[in-house]
Structure formats: C-alpha cells, structure tokens
Amino acid sequence: MPPELGLVCITSSKDVRYRTVTRKRLLEQSDEGQRRILEDIYRDNIQTFDKALAYCLAEKIGLYRIPSSIFPFADEDIGRAVLAPFATTLGRSGRRALDLGIRLVMHPDQFVVLSSDSEGVVANSIKILQMHAEIMDLLEQPRSPWALLEVHGGKGQRADALVERIALLPDGIRCRLGLENDEYAYGADEIHDICMRSSVPMVFDAHHHIVHAKLSSYEDPSVGAMLRKARATWANPAHQLVHISNGRESFNDRQHSDLISVMPSSYLAAPYIEIEAKLKEEAIRGLRAWSMGTPA
C-alpha cells in the first residue's frame, strides 16, 4: 500500500481555517461575555473540523492533524464548561472520521516540556496534554497511538526524568503519547532509547535527523535504518507515523520550505507521513506520484 499523506491543521487556501481569540480580548469581557465568545468560536471550529474531514475525503488524504488551538482556553475551567455541551456533536464528527478511515492526531505546542526541571512547567505540560486527551475522548477516538499525541523530548540531558514522568501520566494521555526526535536536544537514537524505555512509539522525523546529525542526503543509510528502528516501537507497525519537511534555504536549514522536493526513498515503506510544508495541500498533491512508487 502507498503511504497515507497527512494534512497539518489548515490548508494554504481558505478552505480549512479556524478561529481563535487572544487572552487579552477574552479577559476584557465579563464572565458571560467570555462564555459567549468561546461558544461561538467552538461552534464555528467544529464546523471547520467537519469541513476538514470533507476536504481530506475529497483529496484522498488519510491523516489529519487537528490544530492544538481548535478550542482556545479548553484547558481552563471556563473552556471545559463551554465545550462539554458539544460532546454529542464532537462524538458524531469523530465517529465519522473513523468510518471514513481518516486518522486524527494532535501535536501539542512547544510549552509541553515533560522533561523540564521546573515542577510548574511539568504541571502545566500535563494540563495541556490532558486537554488534548479530553478532545480525543470527546471525538470518541481510540485510547491508543492511532489517535496520537506527539511531543518532543524537551529539555536536554533529562532522559531519566522524561521516562519517569511518562510512566506517571494519566492513562488517557500515556496510551496515546508518542515522542519525536528534534534537531537539538534529542536526536533520533536518543529519543528511540527513551521510547523503548517508556513503551511509547517513536515519530521519526527525517529532516530533524539530518539537521541534528549534519547529514548531506536523505539517502544516508541511517535514515532508512532509523525508520525501521522507529517502526519496532509501534505496537501495530501499520500505524507507524513519520514526519517530513525540506529546508527552506538549504538542505540542512531547519526552517520549512513551501513544498517538498526531496523525499527519502525509504519513506515509501512508511504507512503514514505528515507533510510539514508551508503550502500544505499543494505539497501533498506534489507528492502523489512519488507516493505511488514501490519500496526498494
């Protein structure tokens, strides 16, 4: 089977765009005013999510990354209270995704640092992850890495602390959690070791890998080898998810380019690939011919 290509959050066109609100604007309102604003945004964003599913179906996109900001302030009491009445609607939308075979994942933001040496940062990270887990529960997604919550390792040289904190996470988070290698703190081999120790799947990012290891090609043998090592961390290898991007100004530029012009040949064996390019759906369309190739 060719790899399923994944859309990240929005389209470069206006087809899939979500609303949000700043903390400053929200806090300028009365309690009732805040509830009205959030209720309006949540309703609109659920409709946009349904449009995203329809878009993925039409474009034959098999994976969709839900924006972390789909429900602003849902990690606060007021947001949870506003979101709760939408449970039936969200359950219907989530079941539709399952029926259509569109996989849903989320990537919590950079404020999630489970390896931090600050207990306050760790507590806030768990709070944010809990919000994501609750959204997946409302969408009636499996409590498994199929509905992945993918994060980075965070603060470097803190592998033991990261392993310990993952073990203590609530089940709704831990059973969906996956760790991704990055350019600086945790290279692919390091994050693989943590995944093995923590019994969570590894999300291999080939571009992060070549930047971290200062490689000159996606055809370096370590790319294919790490893809295979990462697959072994998935309880169901058919659910393995990887990321790809290209450098904007040069091959090793960590900034993402508009499109994907270079792909690792080994990625033809990856079941799911999130396409992290600025031009989103245009990049996916540009990879259709490549994805129909055959793994070596």
Side-chain angles (χ1 to χ4, degrees), residues 109-264:
D109 59 31
Q110 70 273 18
F111 298 110
V112 174
V113 186
L114 290 171
S115 56
S116 175
D117 52 12
S118 164
E119 290 303 319
V121 170
V122 173
N124 189 59
S125 298
I126 295 171
K127 177 184 175 185
I128 294 171
L129 284 169
Q130 186 61 41
M131 174 195 72
H132 287 75
E134 289 170 359
I135 291 171
M136 285 299 197
D137 283 343
L138 287 168
L139 289 166
E140 298 186 15
Q141 296 302 292
R143 286 195 165 195
S144 79
W146 172 265
L148 194 72
L149 304 179
E150 51 192 90
V151 299
H152 291 284
K155 188 175 177 63
Q157 307 299 315
R158 298 273 297 170
D160 290 343
L162 182 54
V163 171
E164 291 169 6
R165 280 159 182 168
I166 289 172
L168 297 173
L169 288 172
D171 182 64
I173 300 172
R174 185 187 51 76
C175 66
R176 294 182 173 117
L177 193 71
L179 298 179
E180 178 187 353
N181 58 297
D182 63 71
E183 304 102 315
Y184 302 119
Y186 291 97
D189 283 315
E190 295 167 292
I191 214 71
H192 176 267
D193 178 65
I194 294 168
C195 287
M196 293 295 291
R197 294 169 61 192
S198 304
S199 298
V200 300
M202 174 181 171
V203 178
F204 177 55
D205 188 309
H207 192 69
H208 290 335
H209 175 62
I210 62 99
V211 172
H212 184 273
K214 298 179 174 61
L215 303 177
S216 60
S217 171
Y218 285 137
E219 299 310 307
D220 187 277
S222 66
V223 175
M226 188 52 64
L227 178 77
R228 293 186 290 273
K229 286 179 67 175
R231 182 175 298 128
T233 67
W234 289 79
N236 186 340
H239 293 171
Q240 183 188 20
L241 173 62
V242 301
H243 289 182
I244 192 63
S245 58
N246 284 174
R248 175 172 288 278
E249 300 296 334
S250 65
F251 183 67
N252 291 95
D253 184 356
R254 64 185 294 269
Q255 299 297 318
H256 294 176
S257 61
D258 290 342
L259 301 171
I260 304 293
S261 59
V262 185
M263 286 289 284

Side-chain angles (χ1 to χ4, degrees), residues 29-43:
Q29 313 300 316
S30 65
D31 288 350
E32 184 56 33
Q34 292 179 31
R35 289 186 180 88
R36 283 198 301 270
I37 288 172
L38 292 179
E39 183 178 356
D40 189 45
I41 290 174
Y42 290 4
R43 183 180 292 105

Side-chain angles (χ1 to χ4, degrees), residues 19-30 33-34 36-38 40-41 73:
R19 291 177 57 196
T20 190
V21 62
T22 65
R23 179 173 294 274
K24 180 178 184 296
R25 181 184 167 223
L26 191 69
L27 294 180
E28 287 174 346
Q29 313 300 316
S30 65
Q34 292 179 31
R36 283 198 301 270
I37 288 172
L38 292 179
D40 189 45
I41 290 174
F73 302 95

